[in-house]
Amino acid sequence: LVTSVGMLLYALTLTLLVATATADPGILPRAPYVDDAESLANASAERFVEVRGVTMPLKWCSTCRIWRPPRASHCTECNVCVERFDHHCPWTGQCVGLRNYRYFFGFVLSVCSLCAYTLVVSALSFLHALAAALTDATSGGDRVGVALDERPVPAALSIATALILLCVCPLLCYHCSLTCRNATTSEEIKGTFADRANPFDQSCPANCRHVLCRPLPPSRLHLRSAAAEELGGPMILRNDGGGGEGGGVVELRPMAAADEGPPPLRTATLPGSEGKRRPAREQSSPDDVPV
């Protein structure tokens, strides 16, 4: 039973680690169709949005060329904008944001649980050996050394897990505090709500449900060009050759508004088909991907 519980906690920790490292954290797609002049104009402009009676500014990202929604931030490590950006985790090599924060929180919690469980089991095993050495008259004066010789692995695990707990437990407590207040690490560092109320902060139970238990929003990353076209985003179409070297590649710009009708089709000449031009919409293939 002891081994089964330990293996279960270990498998849960690895699963949450993989989920944190591989899930989309909430990346906001770029807008490459925005030219430099429009980007410079937006960079000097101001936009605001009201959230529960609190006016919050929207920031223009010159790299992704989008207006970032509230709580979104640009990660310099991943070079992307992430919704409800918390921090960049160097241990997973991934941003922690809107869509994978619950996995990160569960990972930290499972690491603490696994270390605490290992510490208790290892310490009890070593103390059992130490008690046996203390009652053994033939063990001599160095009874701790005898116990270490008999149970070296539990002794080493006790020390290692205790050190890990000293590092991870404060992190867990900090993120518990953030979750209860519906705050993020980035906002705490920048002091976003230092001089005003946090409009996202409700009651503690409501914050916990909102951050950890609400249904995940769909990812904004669409790996098929048809999905990108349906959402009005930029689309890259490749020919049957997979868009490799020499392949024809065209870009379709998004619709300006829902009631303006579809944008005019652009055409592109594919290798080996000079003089035969056809609408770019017809050139899509199963290998099409957006950027």
Side-chain angles (χ1 to χ4, degrees):
L1 178 61
V2 172
T3 304
S4 299
V5 173
M7 292 181 63
L8 180 62
L9 287 174
Y10 181 73
L12 179 62
T13 301
L14 283 183
T15 301
L16 291 171
L17 172 62
V18 172
T20 304
T22 58
D24 170 26
I27 297 176
L28 296 170
R30 298 191 178 192
Y33 49 83
V34 176
D35 55 28
D36 293 340
E38 184 178 355
S39 178
L40 290 175
N42 288 333
S44 59
E46 292 184 347
R47 288 188 181 181
F48 299 88
V49 63
E50 185 173 339
V51 180
R52 294 193 179 96
V54 178
T55 302
M56 301 188 63
L58 297 181
K59 295 184 178 180
W60 172 259
C61 180
S62 300
T63 301
C64 300
R65 302 197 172 188
I66 59 172
W67 286 99
R68 292 198 297 259
R71 316 195 86 180
S73 184
H74 188 88
C75 176
T76 56
E77 296 290 334
C78 299
N79 199 29
V80 292
C81 285
V82 178
E83 289 186 277
R84 198 185 182 275
F85 178 78
D86 189 86
H87 70 284
H88 180 88
C89 179
W91 309 110
T92 61
Q94 174 71 296
C95 295
V96 177
L98 174 67
R99 301 189 72 256
N100 67 342
Y101 181 82
R102 64 185 62 185
Y103 302 137
F104 173 79
F105 186 90
F107 168 66
V108 176
L109 178 61
S110 64
V111 168
C112 290
S113 302
L114 177 61
C115 290
Y117 181 79
T118 305
L119 175 61
V120 171
V121 173
S122 301
L124 289 177
S125 177
F126 177 74
L127 291 176
H128 179 74
L130 181 61
L134 292 175
T135 58
D136 187 3
T138 62
S139 60
D142 189 10
R143 291 178 172 83
V144 176
V146 173
L148 287 174
D149 291 337
E150 184 178 350
R151 303 287 175 86
V153 175
L157 285 177
S158 299
I159 298 174
T161 51
L163 293 176
I164 295 175
L165 280 175
L166 288 176
C167 299
V168 181
C169 271
L171 179 64
L172 176 62
C173 294
Y174 176 69
H175 280 280
C176 285
S177 173
L178 292 179
T179 301
C180 292
R181 294 181 288 114
N182 199 350
T184 66
T185 303
S186 177
E187 291 169 350
E188 291 289 296
I189 293 176
K190 296 178 180 178
T192 304
F193 302 112
D195 55 349
R196 56 183 170 176
N198 181 0
F200 305 98
D201 184 10
Q202 305 175 54
S203 64
C204 179
N207 291 336
C208 293
R209 287 194 302 268
H210 179 78
V211 175
L212 301 177
C213 302
R214 69 167 178 168
L216 285 178
S219 174
R220 295 177 182 265
L221 298 179
H222 299 272
L223 302 181
R224 310 298 296 179
S225 61
E229 181 184 21
E230 180 181 355
L231 295 177
M235 179 173 64
I236 292 297
L237 300 181
R238 293 194 174 101
N239 61 6
D240 294 337
E245 184 176 356
V249 179
V250 297
E251 175 186 350
L252 297 184
R253 294 178 178 268
M255 295 191 302
D259 57 350
E260 291 183 4
L265 296 181
R266 297 176 60 187
T267 59
T269 302
L270 301 179
S273 61
E274 289 75 3
K276 300 178 181 180
R277 303 175 68 86
R278 55 180 178 174
R281 194 186 301 275
E282 299 177 1
Q283 300 172 12
S284 59
S285 72
D287 296 328
D288 300 341
V289 295
V291 294

